[in-house]
């Protein structure tokens, strides 16, 4: 466990997660009946995996910890493990289109057990619950929970909790595309992150959100400034999930400016990091950027045929929109309409 803690302190989160996993295995052999020790190791393992962007592995460990705490009737321990499920990234916490019902139910129970817990703790739980419902067919619950998280975080007066809650609110709004409030959330999260002592990873997320909104408004100076800040703080945090998410945005910007060789080099570098950690739909993400670069270079002869696997994959809806814009740019408006691409 000492080695795991040292690795985590140095930002070697994947190494730390490996040590905590070893500790769990050794504990099962040496002290199989020590449920408290197993709970403590599972929480540490879950947090290390989350820092390393092994989101599903983190959730599995933390759900096991919640099961132990619930069996022992320890509400505080339930909330501690459930709160650790909150993520410091911009992207969603579930694979594309998935709603993990055991995760949702565990967070529901944790919130029910929160009672009069401190506002900061309840904010984190509400935000994590909102994230777990991101892909639910009805976005109303995620919107309500993320709004509650922000209100509780403001009441708590803790900058880290507020930035986390605002990032969760932004994700919920992203799904529902309520653009005016997205602007307000982005402005607030950047301001809080810039004017308080906030964890580097959360600061990186704040500036990445600011960059997303600036890009949507065509505000290039603000976009580039926010992206530079996001990169600085992502690197400082050493969190691979945040680093890869910033890098994917940088790839898109390189493509937009015609720097195709640099874009492809960064695509391959980021793909290696992403596959080593989260890795969800990595093939689709890689192909989307590969197709985009080829199209803008003028080497994509038949976008529909060459991107058929992408169109038929899990990102099919987004891929069809991407190909639709490519066809439109090439003047093939009839193909866009006939193929139902936009």
């Amino acid at each position: 466990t000492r080695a795991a803690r040292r690795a985590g302190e140095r930002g070697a989160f994947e190494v730390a997660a490996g040590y905590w996993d070893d500790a769990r295995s050794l504990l099962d052999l040496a002290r199989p009946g020590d449920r408290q020790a197993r709970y403590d190791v599972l929480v540490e393992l879950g947090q290390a995996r989350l820092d390393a962007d092994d989101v599903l592995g983190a959730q599995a460990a933390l759900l096991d910890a919640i099961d132990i705490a619930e069996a022992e009737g320890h509400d505080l321990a339930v909330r501690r493990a459930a709160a650790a499920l909150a993520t410091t990234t911009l992207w969603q916490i579930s694979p594309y289109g998935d709603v993990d019902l055991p995760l949702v139910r565990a967070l529901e129970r944790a919130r029910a057990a929160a009672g009069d817990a401190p506002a900061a703790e309840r904010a984190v739980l509400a935000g994590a619950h909102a994230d777990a419902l991101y892909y639910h067919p009805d976005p109303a619950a995620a919107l309500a929970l993320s709004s509650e998280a922000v209100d509780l975080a403001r009441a708590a007066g803790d900058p880290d909790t507020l930035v986390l809650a605002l990032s969760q609110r932004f994700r919920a709004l992203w799904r529902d595309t309520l653009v005016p409030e997205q602007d307000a959330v982005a402005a607030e999260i950047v301001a809080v992150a810039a004017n308080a002592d906030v964890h580097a990873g959360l600061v990186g997320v704040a500036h990445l959100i600011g960059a997303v909104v600036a890009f949507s408004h065509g505000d290039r100076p603000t976009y580039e400034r926010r992206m530079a800040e996001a990169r600085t703080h992502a690197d400082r945090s050493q969190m691979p999930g945040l680093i890869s998410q910033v890098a994917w945005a940088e790839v898109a910007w390189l493509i937009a400016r015609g720097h195709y060789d640099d874009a492809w080099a960064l695509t391959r570098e980021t793909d290696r990091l992403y596959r080593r950690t989260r890795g969800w739909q990595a093939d689709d993400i890689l192909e989307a950027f590969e197709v985009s670069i080829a199209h803008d270079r003028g080497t994509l002869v038949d976008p529909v045929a060459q991107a058929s696997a992408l169109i038929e994959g899990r990102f099919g809806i987004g891929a069809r929109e991407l190909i639709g814009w490519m066809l439109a740019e090439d003047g093939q408006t009839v193909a866009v309409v006939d193929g139902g691409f936009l």
Side-chain angles (χ1 to χ4, degrees):
T1 60
R2 285 195 296 270
R5 294 186 193 285
R6 284 197 298 270
E9 289 166 359
R10 293 170 183 170
F13 302 121
E14 293 168 79
V15 175
Y19 281 135
W20 283 117
D21 201 22
D22 289 343
R24 176 181 60 172
S25 298
L26 290 170
L27 184 64
D28 288 345
L29 290 172
R31 292 153 56 189
D34 192 339
R35 294 173 66 80
Q36 180 60 53
R38 179 176 174 79
Y39 166 87
D40 289 334
V41 168
L42 283 169
V43 171
E44 296 287 357
L45 172 60
Q47 187 60 68
R49 283 177 170 175
L50 204 57
D51 289 340
D53 206 39
D54 176 8
V55 180
L56 295 183
Q59 290 170 355
L62 292 167
L63 288 176
D64 284 349
I66 290 170
D67 286 344
I68 292 172
E70 287 179 330
E72 298 295 319
H74 294 163
D75 287 349
L76 181 60
V78 169
R79 299 200 307 270
R80 175 190 168 204
L85 289 161
T87 60
T88 306
T89 61
L90 175 62
W91 290 10
Q92 294 74 30
I93 67 163
S94 304
Y96 191 76
D98 285 357
V99 178
D100 186 333
L101 290 180
L103 176 65
V104 171
R105 300 292 177 257
L107 285 162
E108 287 174 349
R109 296 193 304 272
R111 293 184 62 241
D116 59 354
E121 188 176 333
R122 287 182 284 132
V124 172
L125 291 172
H129 193 182
D131 273 343
L133 290 168
Y134 180 84
Y135 286 114
H136 192 280
D138 182 358
L143 287 167
L145 286 162
S146 61
S147 179
E148 178 184 345
V150 172
D151 289 343
L152 287 166
R154 288 193 179 119
D158 175 64
D160 279 72
T161 304
L162 181 54
V163 171
L164 176 62
L166 287 167
S167 72
Q168 293 159 333
R169 179 62 176 168
F170 186 82
R171 277 191 289 277
L173 292 167
W174 207 358
R175 156 73 186 272
D176 205 45
T177 63
L178 299 176
V179 176
E181 190 178 345
Q182 284 180 348
D183 291 353
V185 169
E188 183 177 3
I189 196 171
V190 169
V192 174
N195 294 300
D197 183 15
V198 176
H199 182 275
L202 289 169
V203 178
V205 172
H207 285 289
L208 190 53
I209 287 172
V212 168
V213 170
F215 186 86
S216 71
H217 290 297
D219 184 349
R220 177 172 178 172
T222 301
Y223 173 79
E224 292 181 332
R225 188 168 65 254
R226 294 281 175 253
M227 281 301 302
E229 290 284 354
R231 164 58 70 181
T232 296
H233 290 284
D235 289 343
R236 189 173 297 162
S237 76
Q238 299 179 271
M239 301 177 74
L242 181 56
I243 290 169
S244 65
Q245 289 167 33
V246 170
W248 288 130
E250 290 172 334
V251 169
W253 190 232
L254 287 167
I255 295 172
R257 290 180 294 145
H259 300 306
Y260 305 124
D261 290 339
D262 291 340
W264 183 239
L266 184 56
T267 295
R268 297 303 300 271
E269 176 186 334
T270 307
D271 176 64
R272 287 191 292 271
L273 173 62
Y274 182 72
R275 286 178 189 273
R276 199 178 74 228
T277 54
R278 183 177 300 210
W280 302 340
Q281 286 82 55
D283 289 343
D284 290 336
I285 294 172
L286 178 62
E287 186 176 357
F289 282 113
E290 187 174 12
V291 166
S292 297
I293 292 170
H295 173 265
D296 286 9
R297 281 187 186 276
T299 59
L300 193 68
V301 179
D302 186 342
V304 179
Q306 290 177 252
S308 59
L310 189 62
I311 293 170
E312 295 166 7
R314 200 164 190 179
F315 283 149
I317 295 175
R320 293 184 68 81
E321 184 175 344
L322 172 66
I323 299 304
W325 283 113
M326 289 179 181
L327 292 170
E329 287 177 11
D330 295 341
Q332 300 184 47
T333 54
V334 174
V336 174
V337 175
D338 289 349
F341 285 102
L342 289 176

